[in-house]
């Protein structure tokens, strides 16, 4: 995932879905809903990506 795509995801702008590394398809709706829920819970999400190698999502949600 390129940095502009990550920035677009985190700002909740419309993201055009692209095939995954193994050709898997998606709409991006699940990711958008997840980010909205994390934000409502006062949490945070960090996205690290190496193009053509995969992406790691780190989610933190407060306990209280």
């Amino acid at each position: 995932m390129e940095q502009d795509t990550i920035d677009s995801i985190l700002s909740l702008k419309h993201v055009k879905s692209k095939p995954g590394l193994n050709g898997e398809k998606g709409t991006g709706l699940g990711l958008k809903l997840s980010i909205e829920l994390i934000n409502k819970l006062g949490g945070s999400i960090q996205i690290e990506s190496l193009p053509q190698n995969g992406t790691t999502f780190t989610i933190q949600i407060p306990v209280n």
Side-chain angles (χ1 to χ4, degrees):
M1 213 183 294
E2 301 296 335
Q3 187 61 45
D4 59 334
T5 303
I6 294 171
D7 294 340
S8 181
I9 290 170
L10 293 174
S11 68
L12 295 176
K13 292 181 182 175
H14 175 71
V15 178
K16 206 180 247 188
S17 182
K18 298 178 184 176
L21 290 175
N22 296 316
E24 63 272 25
K25 296 178 182 180
T27 63
L29 179 61
L31 183 56
K32 185 174 181 175
L33 290 173
S34 297
I35 291 172
E36 287 182 8
L37 178 60
I38 292 164
N39 289 338
K40 286 184 188 267
L41 293 172
S44 64
I45 183 167
Q46 180 181 4
I47 304 173
E48 296 177 23
S49 184
L50 294 172
Q52 301 304 316
N53 286 320
T55 304
T56 302
F57 294 84
T58 303
I59 298 169
Q60 294 181 333
I61 299 173
V63 175
N64 49 0

